[in-house]
Amino acid sequence: MIQVKNLTKYYNNFCAVDGINLEIKKGEILGLLGPNGAGKTTTLRMLTGFFKPTSGDILVKDLSISEDSLKIKELMGYLPESAPLYHNMLVFDYLCYVAKVRGIKKEKIPSRLKELSDLCGLSDIMHQSVDELSKGLKQRVGLAHAMMNDPEILILDEPTSGLDPNQIAEIREIIKRIGKEKTIVFSTHILSEAEATCDRIVIINKGKIVADDTTQKLKNRAASGSSINLSLYDADPDDVVKLLRTIAPDIEVLKKEPVEKGVASFEIQSSTSKDFRKQIYLKIKETNWSIAQLTRESQTLESIFHELTKGN
Ligand code: ADP
């Protein structure tokens, strides 16, 4: 449905999006996850034809954004982070206005508004002024706006940002409902948000993709990994690293900042679910080092996210 090829965007000399490649399938709900400043909004603005890429291309159903930007815009609905609503209008009048601008025939407007009202839960607020609405309700009106011409693709920039937990749950439900028929790309900096709503998560950091997988596979990857915290008295850190590396080829021994004088600390990572504490203990028993700490922590999706996006 959408192919993103080597997409790059510079703001003067600053590279905000750095050679992104992506293939988004029809019907997918894809979450673009990353910390603030990672390049999510810039990527979405290029996807919707708002910004021209510095280099690279985006193909939507084989149309190129550099040549067919108008045709591509017709296939897409876009909800920016702050929905651009006319605040002094009633919701009904505002959506009628959007329908006219979008070229919907006059006789079809009432039925389209009814469909959108049902989809986005607007029936109770149709005759309220936009500026009286809570942020969650404004976001629902913004979604109805983005869906007006029944686009095949919906692009949402941080759709739940600034909402309370109930409003977040409501918007999530609407996105999932819409996602049964449409292709959706939405950005978020909140991991649980992507986890709860998306089929696939693409993590970006400093303009680059650092992970791209189905939500389930990322969860499995997290569940199968673990790390062990080890602190020792009377040990030379280099000797410890050398000794522990002999336990298994797939474990990684990282030196940590010592928390206490005379204590050497390490993090031992493994990509398998195997618990190596017994082997570590038996190795250390052969030396004259004493154990101050030997504990195991399971990896979570959150720890993977922090690991992949650290330094931002
Ligand atoms: P995100 O949506 O992930 O928070 P953005 O795409 O908004 O990230 O921004 C990526 C980087 O590009 C940030 O460092 C931001 O400061 C910078 N940036 C965004 N928009 C502009 C702009 N119009 N001019 C210059 N720098 C920008």
Side-chain angles (χ1 to χ4, degrees):
M1 187 80 169
I2 305 175
Q3 280 176 288
V4 176
K5 293 183 173 175
N6 224 358
L7 190 69
T8 301
K9 176 76 184 176
Y10 275 86
Y11 294 115
N12 297 318
N13 290 330
F14 175 72
C15 185
V17 174
D18 191 359
I20 282 185
N21 288 292
L22 261 183
E23 196 152 324
I24 304 166
K25 293 191 199 85
K26 191 173 182 289
E28 231 171 12
I29 304 185
L30 183 137
L32 196 58
L33 175 69
N36 288 327
K40 303 182 293 296
T41 298
T42 307
T43 303
L44 296 188
R45 286 191 176 160
M46 288 191 280
L47 273 179
T48 50
F50 252 91
F51 279 177
K52 272 202 163 140
T54 309
S55 61
D57 200 4
I58 298 164
L59 300 178
V60 180
K61 294 179 98 179
D62 293 329
L63 298 168
S64 162
I65 200 99
S66 53
E67 289 156 20
D68 301 297
S69 150
L70 278 179
K71 280 190 195 153
I72 289 180
K73 276 185 182 159
E74 280 169 21
L75 298 171
M76 288 189 179
Y78 176 42
L79 178 66
E81 194 173 348
S82 300
L85 308 173
Y86 288 116
H87 288 259
N88 56 355
M89 286 175 105
L90 299 181
V91 172
F92 179 81
D93 293 342
Y94 173 73
L95 290 175
C96 280
Y97 167 74
V98 173
K100 279 183 208 151
V101 171
R102 287 296 176 119
I104 294 181
K105 288 199 181 101
K106 209 173 164 193
E107 62 275 18
K108 295 222 164 124
I109 292 178
S111 61
R112 184 65 191 138
L113 257 55
K114 171 80 174 69
E115 283 161 11
L116 290 171
S117 164
D118 292 345
L119 183 70
C120 301
L122 305 177
S123 58
D124 292 343
I125 58 161
M126 275 295 191
H127 296 285
Q128 279 189 36
S129 175
V130 170
D131 55 10
E132 285 171 9
L133 303 177
S134 65
K135 183 144 197 253
L137 291 173
K138 279 186 184 142
Q139 229 25 11
R140 290 204 229 165
V141 177
L143 266 174
H145 176 163
M147 290 289 295
M148 185 58 79
N149 60 342
D150 200 18
E152 290 185 44
I153 302 161
L154 198 59
I155 309 276
L156 312 170
D157 194 356
E158 300 264 0
T160 58
S161 164
L163 305 188
D164 70 35
N166 290 338
Q167 294 169 335
I168 289 176
E170 285 161 11
I171 295 288
R172 261 187 207 163
E173 277 314 303
I174 297 172
I175 292 174
K176 282 191 172 170
R177 219 178 301 149
I178 296 173
K180 289 194 178 132
E181 289 173 10
K182 311 281 175 195
T183 305
I184 300 184
V185 181
F186 82 85
S187 69
T188 176
H189 63 278
I190 304 162
L191 173 70
S192 56
E193 187 65 31
E195 199 183 338
T197 322
C198 305
D199 311 318
R200 178 172 156 206
I201 299 178
V202 171
I203 304 179
I204 67 168
N205 190 39
K206 296 180 183 168
K208 283 190 159 75
I209 293 181
V210 291
D212 176 0
D213 222 328
T214 63
T215 311
Q216 194 53 48
K217 279 196 185 152
L218 279 173
K219 279 187 188 168
N220 294 348
R221 182 170 138 191
S224 67
S226 67
S227 70
I228 290 171
N229 292 313
L230 172 71
S231 296
L232 296 168
Y233 296 107
D234 312 317
D236 176 75
D238 291 333
D239 291 343
V240 176
V241 172
K242 238 184 268 166
L243 181 72
L244 297 186
R245 278 195 183 140
T246 62
I247 291 176
D250 69 323
I251 68 167
E252 200 175 344
V253 185
L254 306 167
K255 287 185 231 171
K256 290 205 303 192
E257 281 295 305
V259 280
E260 210 181 302
K261 210 168 166 234
V263 176
S265 295
F266 308 86
E267 183 176 322
I268 299 148
Q269 293 175 347
S270 163
S271 55
T272 69
S273 54
K274 197 167 169 204
D275 184 354
F276 287 102
R277 277 177 301 178
K278 188 169 174 192
Q279 284 98 318
I280 293 170
Y281 169 73
L282 291 173
K283 283 277 176 202
I284 291 168
K285 209 172 141 202
E286 293 165 11
T287 70
N288 57 357
W289 309 328
S290 311
I291 295 176
Q293 186 196 15
L294 179 58
T295 52
R296 182 166 181 257
E297 275 175 29
S298 295
Q299 210 177 15
T300 59
L301 204 49
E302 198 158 350
S303 62
I304 289 190
F305 178 61
H306 286 309
E307 187 63 30
L308 291 171
T309 58
K310 75 183 166 194
N312 193 304

